[in-house]
């Protein structure tokens, strides 16, 4: 194998391992506020080996998982890869089966209410094209980055868009959620192909435009898409100018740009909140900063609090595609060997396990998490 192919494979693996590491690194303080993180950890600098339980509030202890155990962010990324690598390839009915069986067999953990609502609708027999919840949250963007590594070739563009957009709309039927997910996957694909940071930034609005056009096609095919006229290409064209501003200025710009589109219930336009133009855009821009150091970038995100694992997962998948795997301490992942196998499948294209094996393993890990929380 030549050096170019090795570098590409390294970046492909990075797209999944970076996602998984961002996920597990952010899990210990998921939903915490900035001042709460500081009061317990001071300057949060790494995944703790053990939790300082004596200083963690009781309400926070109930949500802790074993350090290094991935959440639904990585779960769903692996699930998507399992479907896409199976003999049928991407198939919306196989995705529905994965989601529903995972739900019935209690494999999913830490999932959001919009995901739950959509999967329950599918379990009741609702067609996958119309089951999605009306959410512009990050639940699709957090899982799709590795698809950009799997389908990174220019001639695979249609396959990438269809798998990303259909899998996204199945659970998050707001056009902004699906289009932003396609932008994340597009950024990963570009970095895997060897694009520079500057080239990737300039491409983000184009990825949105391509996804917007494809969403129009999917609507004609019967997919439910809400807010399909609220395009993201324009906001992204503006946002890419912020990538190298001082980080606090960048975060303030993100908050101000998102505020007019916030739904009722958002108390703050915080850059780590679970809306694609808040947390999603924050993770994407942080991963594109000129001076970005992967480890410090993730820590900077996590120290801000709120949806720490998901924003870090989005940033991590892009950083992994940009920088490869050397920065990822994969020995800290509880399920290192299995996740590593999926990372290698991004270039071998060999399905690592069956759907049944996937669900059984994730169910086992979910039970371990629940047992940990009960102690």
């Amino acid at each position: 194998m030549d050096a170019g192919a090795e570098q590409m494979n390294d970046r492909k693996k990075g797209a999944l391992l970076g996602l998984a590491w961002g996920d597990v690194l952010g899990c210990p303080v998921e939903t915490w506020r900035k001042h709460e993180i500081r009061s317990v950890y001071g300057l949060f600098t790494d995944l703790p080996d053990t939790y300082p339980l004596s200083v963690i509030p009781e309400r926070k202890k109930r949500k802790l998982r074993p350090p290094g155990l991935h959440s639904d962010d990585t779960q769903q990324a692996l699930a998507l890869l399992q479907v896409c690598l199976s003999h049928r390839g991407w198939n919306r009915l196989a995705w529905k089966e994965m989601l529903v069986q995972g739900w019935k067999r209690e494999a999913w953990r830490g999932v959001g209410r919009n995901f739950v609502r959509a999967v329950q609708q599918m379990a009741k027999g609702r067609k996958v094209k119309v089951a999605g919840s009306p959410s512009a949250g990050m639940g699709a963007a957090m899982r799709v980055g590795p698809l950009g590594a799997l389908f990174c070739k220019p001639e695979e563009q249609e396959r990438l868009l269809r798998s990303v957009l259909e899998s996204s709309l199945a659970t998050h039927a707001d056009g902004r959620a699906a289009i932003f997910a396609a932008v994340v996957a597009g950024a990963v694909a570009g970095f895997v192909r060897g694009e520079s940071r500057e080239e990737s930034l300039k491409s983000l609005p184009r990825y949105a435009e391509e996804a917007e056009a494809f969403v129009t096609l999917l609507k004609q095919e019967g997919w439910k898409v809400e807010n399909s006229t609220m395009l993201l290409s324009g906001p992204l064209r503006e946002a890419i100018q912020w990538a190298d501003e001082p980080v606090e200025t960048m975060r303030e710009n993100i908050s101000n740009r998102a505020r007019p589109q916030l739904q009722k219930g958002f108390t703050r336009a915080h850059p780590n909140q679970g809306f694609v133009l808040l947390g999603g855009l924050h993770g994407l821009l942080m991963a594109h900063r000129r001076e970005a150091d992967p480890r410090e970038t993730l820590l900077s995100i996590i120290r801000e609090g709120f949806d720490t694992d998901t924003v870090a997962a989005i940033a991590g998948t892009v950083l992994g595609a940009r920088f490869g795997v050397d920065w990822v301490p994969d020995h800290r992942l509880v399920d290192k060997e299995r996740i590593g196998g999926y990372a290698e499948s991004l270039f071998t294209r060999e399905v690592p396990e069956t759907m049944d094996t996937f669900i059984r393993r994730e169910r086992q890990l979910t039970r371990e998490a629940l047992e940990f929380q009960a102690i």
Side-chain angles (χ1 to χ4, degrees):
M1 184 183 299
D2 61 37
E6 288 183 0
Q7 290 177 348
M8 180 176 283
N9 289 346
D10 185 64
R11 292 191 293 266
K12 287 183 177 184
K13 290 174 64 175
L16 179 56
L17 292 177
L19 185 158
W21 177 240
D23 176 18
V24 303
L25 186 61
C27 272
V29 292
E30 179 188 3
T31 75
W32 292 29
R33 301 299 184 260
K34 188 173 185 176
H35 72 275
E36 294 173 325
I37 297 172
R38 286 180 175 175
S39 68
V40 171
Y41 290 101
L43 187 65
F44 189 86
T45 59
D46 205 349
L47 179 69
D49 293 314
T50 58
Y51 295 118
L53 296 178
S54 62
V55 292
I56 295 179
E58 288 298 323
R59 69 183 187 282
K60 303 294 185 184
K61 292 179 184 177
R62 292 193 293 270
K63 294 185 177 181
L64 293 175
R65 303 183 185 94
L69 177 61
H70 57 277
S71 77
D72 59 321
D73 303 51
T74 305
Q75 272 192 310
Q76 293 178 38
L78 300 180
L80 260 179
L81 290 176
Q82 198 286 327
V83 170
C84 288
L85 290 165
S86 66
H87 72 280
R88 288 187 289 178
W90 166 252
N91 180 289
R92 68 177 184 273
L93 297 181
W95 181 231
K96 176 181 178 179
E97 183 182 1
M98 171 69 84
L99 296 176
V100 172
Q101 291 302 316
W103 175 254
K104 288 182 175 179
R105 294 166 63 180
E106 301 179 334
W108 305 123
R109 55 184 174 275
V111 291
R113 64 181 182 276
N114 292 302
F115 175 91
V116 171
R117 187 182 302 122
V119 175
Q120 287 178 335
Q121 288 295 310
M122 293 180 209
K124 293 176 181 177
R126 196 168 182 85
K127 291 182 178 180
V128 66
K129 287 185 176 182
V130 294
S133 299
S135 167
M138 302 183 294
M142 71 185 188
R143 66 195 181 207
V144 299
L147 292 187
L150 181 63
F151 302 129
C152 64
K153 296 178 180 179
E155 59 268 28
E156 296 176 308
Q157 175 70 359
E158 182 176 349
R159 186 184 301 184
L160 174 60
L161 280 172
R162 184 168 290 278
S163 60
V164 168
L165 293 173
E166 288 190 355
S167 64
S168 299
L169 291 171
T171 54
H172 294 69
D174 188 299
R176 294 167 295 177
I179 291 164
F180 188 83
V183 172
V184 172
V188 168
F191 275 131
V192 167
R193 291 193 300 267
E195 284 187 359
S196 68
R197 180 197 80 102
E198 291 75 17
E199 289 171 331
S200 181
L201 271 174
K202 290 179 182 178
S203 296
L204 299 182
R206 175 171 59 82
Y207 296 147
E209 290 173 348
E210 292 170 349
E212 288 160 0
F214 209 95
V215 163
T216 299
L217 173 63
L218 292 179
K219 286 184 68 177
Q220 295 171 354
E221 294 178 4
W223 285 85
K224 181 177 76 173
V225 186
E226 302 198 6
N227 294 315
S228 59
T229 60
M230 299 180 73
L231 307 181
L232 294 189
S233 49
L236 282 171
R237 215 168 267 113
E238 178 183 1
I240 60 177
Q241 309 301 320
W242 309 333
D244 291 319
E245 292 184 349
V247 68
E248 292 306 322
T249 301
M250 183 196 75
R251 287 169 173 159
E252 183 178 357
N253 287 337
I254 290 171
S255 295
N256 291 337
R257 187 63 178 81
R259 192 170 283 111
Q261 293 196 38
L262 294 181
Q263 295 179 336
K264 291 182 179 179
F266 274 89
T267 57
R268 291 180 60 194
H270 190 280
N272 267 3
Q273 282 273 35
F275 172 44
V276 291
L277 288 179
L278 285 171
L281 185 56
H282 182 209
L284 184 63
L285 290 184
M286 287 291 287
H288 277 85
R289 288 177 69 80
R290 179 177 289 110
E291 74 280 11
D293 171 87
R295 178 180 178 277
E296 290 303 321
T297 295
L298 295 184
L299 290 172
S300 177
I301 289 169
I302 291 165
R303 290 171 188 146
E304 293 298 303
F306 285 90
D307 205 345
T308 51
D309 60 328
T310 299
V311 181
I314 291 170
T317 195
V318 179
L319 289 165
R322 180 180 173 187
F323 294 107
V325 300
D326 285 348
W327 63 277
V328 180
D330 58 346
H331 64 281
R332 299 297 310 276
L333 302 176
V334 166
D335 212 14
K336 172 189 171 182
E337 297 301 326
R338 180 164 161 266
I339 296 173
Y342 271 91
E344 291 184 0
S345 76
L346 292 169
F347 53 86
T348 66
R349 299 209 172 190
E350 296 177 0
V351 61
E353 59 189 355
T354 65
M355 182 181 297
D356 180 68
T357 302
F358 169 88
I359 292 172
R360 283 192 286 109
R361 176 57 177 162
E362 290 297 337
R363 180 184 181 185
Q364 175 189 349
L365 292 172
T366 297
R367 288 181 170 178
E368 292 176 9
L370 292 172
E371 291 171 0
F372 183 88
Q373 292 164 356
I375 297 176

